[in-house]
Amino acid sequence: MVRSYAPANSAGPVDSPTTLQHWTEQVWNRAAAGCWIMVSPPNENIIVSNPWRPWYERYQPVSYKLCSRSGTEAQFRDMVTRCNNVGVYIYVDAIINHMCGSGGGAGTHSTCGSYFNAGTKEFSGVPYSSLDFNDNKCYTSNGEIQNYGDVNQVRNCRLVGLLDLALEKDYVRGKIAAFLNNLISIGVAGFRLDAAKHMWPGDISNIISRLSNLNTKWFPSGTRPLIFQEVIDLGGEAISASEYYGNGRVTEFKYGAKLGNVVRKWNGEKMAYLKNWGEGWGFMPSNRALVFVDNHDNQRGHGAGGASILTFWESRLYKIGVAFMLAHPYGVTRVMSSYRWSRNFVNGKDVNDWIGPPSNSDGSTKSVTINADTTCGNDWVCEHRWRQIKNMVIFRNTVDGQAFTNWWDNGGNQIAFGRGNRGFIVFNNESWNMDATLNTGLPAGTYCDVISGQKEGTRCTGVQVTVSSTGSARFTISSSAEDPFIAIHVNAKL
Ligand code: AAO
């Protein structure tokens, strides 16, 4: 039997955790407990000096050696080992569609010092030569993707100048599989396949077929890696996300773009319309989807999604969006963990969208310090540590597998729903106060709101909610509350 790492109750060939954390650019010295973490590309990349060391240089591989701004191979191994030992599983952002940009020059300006020549397409650290790239199959005038309506261009031409690997070649497939299998042997649990839309689904399938099972030091024998593919499908293009279902999960980009519109009340949207959120909104089947409110691209205007995307910069709206996502049963969810940078909007565009992680004057990445109030310092945002978000991840784990129940709305922007008899959440996104008595579906008792506080010992540090013997409870939420929502679940019951 083919299995993936998974909680016992998930279904289908590609099982998965309930929530992933997306750690952008963090250094390899962190460990937490009880979660799944996706990390920035760990392999060698080009050093871009104009602009100086942008975050996106990590999306321009030079070899598959494991040394990057986040640390050395030894440090990466150490982190994965320590994380696996405490039940925290690491997923790697895998850049296998391409190498660096065609204008990357020649030399050893790479994070492990491997020689490369972007002009002659030579990458000594792999090695790849000009024979391993797709240019002979691309028929656009400049070798670039010019039209997303043409499948052949999207998959055989260069994405923003990046040298496009010939993934149908046995040699290239072998090099990529060896790279991923090295990570698996170190203990990694799965991969985000970057730019999957720019690869033929059959090529991805072949590479996956070459992957080892996960390391039996930490995973049951026969466990397959979790695969999720970055395919941006907002509709209206030649390539559809469904072509990739056979390989694993697929990113659902409609999710964050549409949720942003709803929470912002743009385009006539309101929270009440979320009643049939999910497939009812034209999303892919829930058991195929990897969903997120924002990602490392669209939180800074790259990629897709546009202005509606919610990010930590607008923390009140962001927490509403993330809480809704984590409470709702659709998809496997991913929460961001970001860093702050100094934004500079010129004509509506942030011209500082390239800025890399917080760094010291010698260019090294600053460590993630933890403040007394458990938030992060040194310009690390650590959304995953925000009480409201952390507690909603616990909510999601608590209600995992439970049905979507007891929907209520006021016809506008006050909504509530439950997850079976294990959890209930209420939002007031109106400009007036809310006072409603609702059927929660929960057993009678006193519950701690896990947004304004949480359960500590035998008391609640925030709001308390009393559920009657019939399952009903009164909720009052001020429209000016910093967090205009309340969430209760059976593991936060007094
Ligand atoms: C950098 C420089 C470039 C330079 C290049 C090479 O910025 O100027 O030419 O180096 O030297 C990241 C950065 C890039 C960076 C690259 C390499 O974002 O700026 O280039 O690293 O350092 C497409 C892909 C998608 C990709 C996304 C950014 O389909 O795979 O572009 N995301 C991943 C990563 C990303 C990374 C790469 C891939 C490359 O997450 O971090 O790039 O490894 C349409 C298409 C989408 C397309 C977008 C943007 O979207 O559908 O497929 O994404 O355009 O081009 C509406 C539409 C929506 C449309 C969107 C935007 O929303 O409905 O469909 O507008 O037009």
Side-chain angles (χ1 to χ4, degrees):
M1 188 176 96
V2 178
R3 282 184 300 163
S4 327
Y5 167 71
N9 61 356
S10 37
V14 271
D15 295 347
S16 22
T18 75
T19 308
L20 262 164
Q21 299 178 4
H22 179 170
W23 284 13
T24 311
E25 293 271 10
Q26 295 204 4
V27 290
W28 308 145
N29 65 355
R30 316 257 350 265
C35 58
W36 298 267
I37 294 170
M38 177 189 132
V39 296
S40 290
N43 59 302
E44 178 171 30
N45 60 262
I46 189 172
I47 291 177
V48 172
S49 44
N50 183 20
W52 179 246
R53 307 303 305 266
W55 62 270
Y56 61 69
E57 68 173 39
R58 298 186 72 162
Y59 292 84
Q60 300 193 39
V62 161
S63 84
Y64 302 129
K65 295 176 192 166
L66 301 181
C67 47
S68 66
R69 204 156 26 165
S70 292
T72 62
E73 170 163 353
Q75 289 167 323
F76 182 75
R77 283 178 179 274
D78 179 58
M79 178 187 72
V80 174
T81 299
R82 286 185 299 117
C83 285
N84 281 344
N85 285 345
V86 295
V88 174
Y89 303 111
I90 303 291
Y91 298 84
V92 160
D93 196 351
I95 320 303
I96 62 174
N97 170 65
H98 53 262
M99 300 300 278
C100 69
S102 58
T108 54
H109 49 293
S110 47
T111 52
C112 313
S114 295
Y115 175 80
F116 68 100
N117 184 332
T120 60
K121 293 178 252 179
E122 189 184 341
F123 291 87
S124 309
V126 181
Y128 285 138
S129 73
S130 61
L131 300 173
D132 300 318
F133 292 84
N134 264 338
D135 298 280
N136 59 325
K137 296 202 295 283
C138 170
Y139 298 111
T140 62
S141 51
N142 60 358
E144 288 287 314
I145 299 167
Q146 296 174 347
N147 173 9
Y148 274 89
D150 178 341
V151 176
N152 289 291
Q153 280 189 33
V154 176
R155 290 174 175 152
N156 291 342
C157 297
R158 295 175 183 174
L159 165 65
V160 294
L162 299 161
L163 297 174
D164 206 54
L165 285 165
L167 294 180
E168 84 280 10
K169 285 190 65 179
D170 184 66
Y171 177 79
V172 175
R173 292 171 171 182
K175 287 293 174 189
I176 291 170
F179 163 46
L180 303 181
N181 280 333
N182 181 35
L183 291 165
I184 288 173
S185 75
I186 289 172
V188 157
F191 305 99
R192 165 188 185 267
L193 299 186
D194 179 75
K197 186 162 101 182
H198 304 278
M199 302 187 265
W200 295 90
D203 289 342
I204 295 178
S205 161
N206 179 282
I207 289 166
I208 291 173
S209 74
R210 298 174 185 230
L211 298 183
S212 319
N213 293 330
L214 298 187
N215 189 324
T216 52
K217 187 165 175 203
W218 296 287
F219 302 93
S221 121
T223 307
R224 299 295 295 159
L226 171 71
I227 302 291
F228 51 99
Q229 304 160 92
E230 188 225 11
V231 178
I232 297 176
D233 175 9
L234 294 173
E237 282 182 17
I239 294 173
S240 109
S242 61
E243 295 169 46
Y244 293 83
Y245 296 165
N247 293 330
R249 293 223 173 223
V250 183
T251 52
E252 178 50 278
F253 273 83
K254 292 173 189 157
Y255 194 102
K258 301 218 169 180
L259 187 58
N261 277 325
V262 175
V263 173
R264 293 175 189 280
K265 305 179 216 173
W266 285 0
N267 302 343
E269 295 288 5
K270 39 182 142 173
M271 301 279 280
Y273 296 158
L274 295 171
K275 185 173 185 179
N276 67 341
W277 185 246
E279 291 89 345
W281 279 59
F283 300 169
M284 65 183 71
S286 175
N287 68 359
R288 300 289 103 200
L290 186 276
V291 298
F292 40 90
V293 171
D294 61 329
N295 77 352
H296 70 286
D297 286 324
N298 61 22
Q299 71 171 195
R300 45 172 58 76
H302 284 236
S308 74
I309 296 298
L310 301 168
T311 71
F312 69 85
W313 294 105
E314 297 166 282
S315 61
R316 187 173 189 269
L317 296 179
Y318 190 61
K319 285 180 281 183
I320 294 174
V322 174
F324 175 81
M325 173 183 80
L326 290 171
H328 194 278
Y330 182 85
V332 161
T333 52
R334 183 175 68 192
V335 299
M336 272 303 283
S337 186
S338 318
Y339 59 84
R340 224 170 264 111
W341 69 99
S342 61
R343 296 193 295 178
N344 180 16
F345 287 99
V346 177
N347 298 326
K349 183 194 169 347
D350 176 15
V351 295
N352 282 347
D353 65 346
W354 57 271
I355 291 180
S359 51
N360 301 302
S361 49
D362 66 358
S364 61
T365 300
K366 283 191 181 169
S367 58
V368 182
T369 52
I370 307 295
N371 301 323
D373 67 355
T374 77
T375 60
C376 294
N378 272 346
D379 275 333
W380 295 100
V381 183
C382 295
E383 297 92 315
H384 70 289
R385 295 182 72 98
W386 295 3
R387 183 189 65 243
Q388 301 85 344
I389 293 178
K390 184 181 64 185
N391 284 347
M392 283 307 300
V393 171
I394 296 170
F395 179 107
R396 188 173 191 79
N397 291 337
T398 304
V399 304
D400 190 28
Q402 298 290 314
F404 179 72
T405 47
N406 291 305
W407 174 269
W408 172 88
D409 67 67
N410 72 339
N413 292 291
Q414 295 176 347
I415 62 165
F417 61 92
R419 295 294 304 281
N421 59 0
R422 294 187 61 82
F424 194 74
I425 191 163
V426 187
F427 294 88
N428 177 18
N429 198 24
E430 298 284 15
S431 52
W432 58 87
N433 297 340
M434 171 173 181
D435 186 347
T437 298
L438 305 172
N439 180 19
T440 66
L442 299 184
T446 304
Y447 292 79
C448 300
D449 169 29
V450 296
I451 305 305
S452 57
Q454 56 207 8
K455 181 181 167 193
E456 265 166 34
T458 55
R459 68 183 195 102
C460 300
T461 59
V463 166
Q464 278 183 207
V465 175
T466 308
V467 173
S468 75
S469 57
T470 62
S472 72
R474 181 174 172 193
F475 295 90
T476 57
I477 305 177
S478 163
S479 59
S480 60
E482 166 55 21
D483 299 315
F485 54 103
I486 289 178
I488 55 178
H489 61 74
V490 291
N491 289 332
K493 181 169 182 266
L494 292 185

